[in-house]
Amino acid sequence: MPLPYAYLCLCCAATLTVVAAAEAAPKAAPPIRVLVVTGGHDFEEKPFWAMFSSLPGLEIRPVAHPKAQALLKPSEAGSYDVVVLYDMWQDADEQARADFAGLIRGGKGLVALHHSLCGYDNWPEYHQIIGGQYHHQPYQLRGVAQPASTYKHDVLVPVHVVDPRNPVTKGVSDFELKEETYHGFTVDPKVKPLLTTTEPTSEPTIGWAHTYGKSRVVYLALGHDHVAYAHPSYRRLLLQAIRWAARR
């Protein structure tokens, strides 16, 4: 027996409502593909990777030196969205340097952590990209002799958030963290400070952001061991730095 016209209309309306709702539902954003580079410095691997596993919306691709340099080049830029450096490497020939610089100038986001500041002592552009440099040897600054940088373990560091409205620091309040501090490193005056400290064994600026070429770059001096890896403020800073650098 044919169905009543009114019943057919109701069925059609219900179907249209379901279709419209499905079309209106926002599509889930694809994960941010993160190339995490290590090598040249020991670290607590299990809690480090556990930290990354806890961060939502990321797809982690670990690579260690010397294999990392094969991926840090413009031709590989399409295979990841952002680079996180947790390395302290020194060996890079002219081609490797040109590849990495070209990758960053081309717009690949970069987040550099802790001892990555201490890498590539004799590569000036690397430190321009990062926005600072740890000096293993005495050096000259505008013609004035300067001592080598220093470090100290197990220091309770008060961390001040300079601009709580910044996308990297949003939602993070001032906190304390037991850390390894660096003193006597240089910071490019053109960077935007994000985190500072009054701890005398550290330089005052311990986190910053800037752009290099088309790339967004963040550096966080924090991140020495499991204490930092597990700290909720550090995890939030890292996640938001990755998102900002990846333009999400």
Side-chain angles (χ1 to χ4, degrees), residues 41-215:
H41 192 289
D42 292 336
F43 64 98
E44 297 176 350
E45 295 192 26
K46 187 175 180 179
F48 179 78
W49 296 117
M51 170 183 66
F52 274 99
S53 296
S54 76
L55 302 180
L58 305 184
E59 181 181 296
I60 305 302
R61 183 181 182 182
V63 64
H65 287 294
K67 294 181 179 180
Q69 290 177 350
L71 297 175
L72 296 172
K73 55 177 63 179
S75 62
E76 295 293 328
S79 65
Y80 49 85
D81 301 308
V82 64
V83 178
V84 172
L85 296 181
Y86 196 63
D87 59 343
M88 200 175 86
W89 203 245
Q90 294 294 341
D91 185 18
D93 61 21
E94 289 303 317
Q95 186 60 55
R97 296 181 184 199
D99 285 340
F100 182 70
L103 176 74
I104 303 305
R105 290 196 207 103
K108 190 58 58 180
L110 178 66
V111 177
L113 304 177
H114 195 52
H115 48 251
S116 63
L117 188 73
C118 311
Y120 303 110
D121 289 348
N122 300 312
W123 183 7
E125 188 172 9
Y126 173 79
H127 299 288
Q128 294 168 13
I129 292 170
I130 297 298
Q133 181 176 4
Y134 183 99
H135 302 273
H136 289 100
Q137 302 294 331
Y139 66 102
Q140 296 279 328
L141 180 62
R142 292 185 288 273
V144 179
Q146 303 290 333
S149 304
T150 59
Y151 64 91
K152 186 175 182 180
H153 290 290
D154 300 328
V155 179
L156 187 60
V157 179
V159 180
H160 172 62
V161 176
V162 177
D163 180 6
R165 298 169 299 178
N166 187 280
V168 177
T169 55
K170 188 175 181 180
V172 180
S173 302
D174 293 358
F175 61 98
E176 288 187 330
L177 184 62
K178 190 177 182 181
E179 260 291 351
E180 176 188 44
T181 56
Y182 295 155
H183 187 267
F185 62 84
T186 49
V187 180
D188 189 320
K190 297 187 294 294
V191 304
K192 176 180 178 58
L194 298 176
L195 305 173
T196 59
T197 186
T198 55
E199 167 54 43
T201 64
S202 171
E203 284 299 304
T205 302
I206 55 174
W208 59 78
H210 75 128
T211 57
Y212 193 86
K214 297 178 181 179
S215 174

